[in-house]
Amino acid sequence: MFIRRLIFVSALAAASPVAAQVEKPVDPYVQSNANAGATPFTGEQLLAAFHGQDGVGRIVDATIDQGIVDPRTAEIFKATDLVRLRRTLKEQIAYLLGAPVTYTGRDMKSSHKDQGINTAEFNALVEHMQHAMDKEGVPYRAQNQLLSKLAPMKRDVVTR
Ligand code: HEM
């Protein structure tokens, strides 16, 4: 009986989204919204154009889903903790769009310093984000407002 219950509980844990969301530890760093790399937009309009934090979540997931299968970028993501990346990127984008969210991830320079990302790879990921925003139905002007916040981060992301 005990064994049967144990098997049941283990099966539950394996199926539980909580169990699937475990992040790997990272070296200590100072948490700050300044790590998001830009100041956020103010007001609620822009976030609404992205369909709120749910919309941001869908856009980030679709961007990463494409980035990890695209042969141009797949290799870069092989060793990445995607649970953490999805969480922190959602926080960062929502924060920049003016959501009442704290960005808890690392700054862009330290996050990407060992990734050896080039301009073509940077552009590939932007392309995926544009497709994801199109799919979400984000108006073109709102898309460009977000991209204008992300573009200057290229100098911290691209290292070769
Ligand atoms: C402006 C563009 C970009 C933004 C805003 C961004 C944002 C982020 C964020 C928030 C993190 C997680 C930070 C943390 O773990 O504390 C991260 C990590 C990462 N990013 Fe980006 N990123 C950008 C461009 C790219 C590009 C172009 C690639 C590859 C093609 C890329 C690959 C990665 C990888 C592999 C990691 C995980 C690093 C690790 O495992 O430590 N990023 N990025």
Side-chain angles (χ1 to χ4, degrees):
M1 186 61 201
F2 173 74
I3 295 288
R4 220 199 280 160
R5 178 167 299 176
L6 197 69
I7 290 168
F8 177 68
V9 170
S10 318
L12 261 188
S16 139
V18 175
Q21 297 297 315
V22 176
E23 290 181 22
K24 295 179 193 122
V26 296
D27 289 340
Y29 61 96
V30 180
Q31 279 189 11
S32 160
N33 277 331
N35 290 349
T39 51
F41 289 100
T42 52
E44 291 168 12
Q45 231 178 337
L46 191 56
L47 184 64
F50 279 77
H51 307 143
Q53 289 186 50
D54 288 347
V56 170
R58 286 187 289 271
I59 291 165
V60 167
D61 280 333
T63 304
I64 294 175
D65 289 346
Q66 288 304 303
I68 59 180
V69 294
D70 184 335
R72 292 173 294 177
T73 50
E75 198 58 38
I76 301 171
F77 292 103
K78 281 245 164 82
T80 300
D81 176 354
L82 293 176
V83 176
R84 179 182 171 91
L85 180 59
R86 288 179 197 275
R87 177 182 64 79
T88 49
L89 192 55
K90 285 173 195 177
E91 280 177 8
Q92 184 190 27
I93 303 297
Y95 168 75
L96 294 175
L97 293 174
V101 163
T102 298
Y103 175 65
T104 64
R106 291 167 287 193
D107 67 83
M108 292 304 99
K109 201 166 192 152
S110 19
S111 301
H112 300 93
K113 69 176 171 23
D114 301 323
Q115 308 303 324
I117 297 166
N118 66 24
T119 294
E121 291 154 354
F122 184 91
N123 292 342
L125 210 68
V126 171
E127 206 180 280
H128 294 318
M129 185 170 268
Q130 283 172 317
H131 285 146
M133 292 188 292
D134 281 344
K135 204 171 107 201
E136 183 64 32
V138 177
Y140 197 58
R141 193 182 122 79
Q143 294 190 16
N144 284 340
Q145 282 178 280
L146 174 61
L147 293 176
S148 73
K149 282 279 179 200
L150 301 182
M153 297 180 197
K154 184 179 172 194
R155 60 174 167 255
D156 288 333
V157 171
V158 170
T159 54
R160 70 186 172 102

